[in-house]
Amino acid sequence: MTTTASLPGQPFIAYQGEQLHMEGVRLVDLAREHGTPLFVYSKAAMLSALAAYQRGFAGRKAQICYAMKANSSLAVLQVFANAGCGFDIVSGGELLRVLAAGGDPAKVIFSGVGKTRAEMKQALQAGIGCFNVESEAELDVLSSVACELGLKAPVSLRVNPNVDAKTHPYISTGLKGNKFGIAHEHALRAYRHAASLPGLQVVGIDCHIGSQITEVTPYLDAMDRVLDLVAEIEAAGIAIHHIDFGGGLGIDYNGDTPPAADALWAQLLAKLDARGYGQRQLMIEPGRSLVGNAGVCLTEVIFTKPGEQKNFCIVDAAMNDLPRPAMYEAFHQIVPVVPRAGEAVTYDVVGPICESGDWLGRDRSLVVQSGDLLAVLSTGAYCMSMASTYNTRGRAAEVLVDGDKAHLIRQRESAFDTFALEQLVG
Ligand code: LLP
């Protein structure tokens, strides 16, 4: 008899018998066919994460704009475009990806503190839905670019509510000391300025307070602050058609307990209703919570190296593939693809890159030998999209699993690919 054991927080990844599966596919087969390191994503996991938001917004006017910086692979964008999502983009390059994946430019919102004139022009010509503007200087430039094109740019101002998202400082964005948004106390002035410019059409307001948020309170506080502003701005005669609450909902990496998207929105909508804004057009920009727990990274053990103070398990994935531990000391679970019997040893799981920061997991209890496969979990978000070719390591391949089918969605980058655009002098 085959037993199935799901992994905590990973409903689409389970041991069936002695083998780790994603949906109906054996991960060992994918590693053999495509090599390692290999990212594998579950389409069902993405759609199930999206469904939690859709349930939360049932009966409301709401647009979900997937924050594609979390994972911008074309086939991943295609899954969300086909499910009716718009996209939150932060560069002209991301806009090109949306279009290449069949996304609707009218459902695109363009965030970011440093949009260039060229990017503004590109986005205006593509007919995007809204620019989330982050400074008064940006308002002036956007208006002038729009006027040159004979167009009006739809704008929303990103306000900084000065709320602590209680997350890692590098991914907390809603505090006064952050570079993001327009300070709450200057927002009305900025809206008046926006309304006076000939190339702009004010359509909304937005905020985004940070990422990997696991508590409801920061969202509720930010919502209060934003709604206070909506009242002030509308009292000044400037209509706010939509309210965008950004992204930021966390996922379970290691026993984290973020609220489910529908539970979070039940509380937020109750507040919106109580304050009389429940029937407004709403927008959100979730990234990590849609894809993070839909992905694993398969990696092969190259050597085990016992040491006096530490034992090392050296694998073929590294900080160029999985930058989150090195950048944020982030935790990702690491599990065997085919568990073996034996006595567990405590290892630091590290990559081959020449830096001590190149670690994937510290003090992990594993039974492994060289040649074994490990799965690094919760790697659907901010891994491949942040991967580099440091140490002339080509970036990993990617596979999308759909039921019992597996589709290669990105070929492995070769070392030659990594220097194909370079040339010698003379
Ligand atoms: N909207 C804006 C304006 C953002 O800056 C972000 C993320 C999102 C939405 C989506 O946030 P999410 O729902 O994914 O939390 N590399 C870091 C995370 C950086 C987040 C940047 N902004 C990490 O690996 O933890």
Side-chain angles (χ1 to χ4, degrees):
M1 197 188 78
T2 316
T3 53
T4 301
S6 283
L7 298 172
Q10 311 277 344
F12 298 91
I13 306 164
Y15 289 103
Q16 290 175 26
E18 293 300 300
Q19 290 277 349
L20 194 59
H21 285 61
M22 179 181 280
E23 301 190 36
V25 174
R26 286 193 341 171
L27 290 175
V28 69
D29 296 340
L30 296 181
R32 281 205 194 106
E33 187 177 346
H34 302 289
T36 51
L38 181 71
F39 284 97
V40 189
Y41 309 121
S42 156
K43 182 176 172 185
M46 293 181 204
L47 291 178
S48 143
L50 177 63
Y53 280 101
Q54 289 165 331
R55 277 195 305 277
F57 286 121
R60 307 283 176 153
K61 286 185 277 178
Q63 176 66 55
I64 300 169
C65 292
Y66 166 53
M68 61 181 282
K69 63 171 80 68
N71 186 323
S72 55
S73 299
L74 293 186
V76 171
L77 303 184
Q78 187 184 24
V79 168
F80 290 112
N82 287 344
C85 290
F87 296 93
D88 170 58
I89 65 166
V90 287
S91 71
E94 286 196 341
L95 177 56
L96 290 181
R97 281 184 175 271
V98 169
L99 300 176
D104 178 357
K107 292 187 195 165
V108 166
I109 51 182
F110 193 169
S111 302
V113 294
K115 304 173 192 79
T116 64
R117 291 182 80 96
E119 287 176 319
M120 291 174 184
K121 184 173 174 192
Q122 178 197 355
L124 282 164
Q125 286 174 330
I128 69 159
C130 186
F131 289 83
N132 285 354
V133 173
E134 303 224 14
S135 62
E136 296 211 41
E138 185 186 340
L139 286 175
D140 293 323
V141 175
L142 182 57
S143 175
S144 97
V145 174
C147 287
E148 277 165 24
L149 296 171
L151 296 170
K152 274 206 184 258
V155 296
S156 158
L157 267 62
R158 175 169 178 183
V159 297
N160 186 333
N162 197 24
V163 163
D164 186 354
K166 304 205 177 77
T167 181
H168 189 286
Y170 284 12
I171 52 176
S172 182
T173 53
L175 281 168
K176 266 194 176 166
N178 297 131
K179 68 179 174 183
F180 298 99
I182 293 171
H184 194 267
E185 53 274 29
H186 299 143
L188 182 58
R189 185 184 76 198
Y191 267 96
R192 285 211 167 98
H193 184 48
S196 74
L197 289 169
L200 305 185
Q201 171 76 47
V202 172
V203 294
I205 189 165
D206 82 283
C207 78
H208 169 79
I209 56 173
S211 197
Q212 185 55 18
I213 301 170
T214 52
E215 294 176 33
V216 179
T217 316
Y219 279 107
L220 289 168
D221 292 348
M223 178 173 273
D224 265 329
R225 306 271 293 164
V226 170
L227 295 182
D228 291 348
L229 277 178
V230 174
E232 251 185 80
I233 295 160
E234 295 201 322
I238 302 168
I240 301 290
H241 298 287
H242 75 242
I243 311 178
D244 175 347
F245 291 103
L249 181 58
I251 61 169
D252 178 6
Y253 285 103
N254 183 31
D256 306 287
T257 50
D262 45 356
L264 170 69
W265 276 96
Q267 291 200 49
L268 289 170
L269 288 168
K271 181 180 274 296
L272 272 177
D273 288 341
R275 296 197 52 176
Y277 293 99
Q279 287 314 311
R280 284 296 162 110
Q281 171 71 41
L282 305 174
M283 319 262 271
I284 50 160
E285 309 162 1
R288 185 192 320 264
S289 52
L290 293 180
V291 290
N293 270 337
V296 303
C297 181
L298 304 182
T299 183
E300 185 176 314
V301 177
I302 307 177
F303 304 115
T304 54
K305 181 174 174 181
E308 267 180 31
Q309 292 186 359
K310 286 264 183 192
N311 301 306
F312 294 101
C313 171
I314 305 168
V315 298
D316 66 359
M319 66 189 281
N320 71 303
D321 308 295
L322 299 166
R324 302 192 67 257
M327 282 186 78
Y328 320 110
E329 304 210 321
F331 183 98
H332 289 269
Q333 286 187 60
I334 303 176
V335 299
V337 172
V338 187
R340 61 166 67 245
E343 202 169 318
V345 175
T346 301
Y347 292 104
D348 275 10
V349 180
V350 300
I353 283 182
C354 306
E355 295 212 22
S356 296
D358 181 26
W359 58 276
L360 306 183
R362 288 187 171 138
D363 299 323
R364 304 301 175 88
S365 177
L366 293 165
V367 185
V368 278
Q369 293 180 2
S370 60
D372 284 2
L373 287 170
L374 296 173
V376 186
L377 305 187
S378 311
T379 48
Y382 302 113
C383 291
M384 190 56 171
S385 61
M386 289 172 55
S388 76
T389 59
Y390 187 36
N391 280 206
T392 306
R393 292 166 48 86
R395 278 171 296 184
E398 294 178 298
V399 167
L400 181 69
V401 166
D402 182 8
D404 56 7
K405 293 201 176 57
H407 307 273
L408 183 67
I409 60 167
R410 183 200 295 255
Q411 289 177 25
R412 183 171 305 284
E413 192 175 22
S414 74
F416 284 113
D417 294 332
T418 71
F419 57 81
L421 299 177
E422 299 172 35
Q423 52 197 29
L424 298 172
V425 175

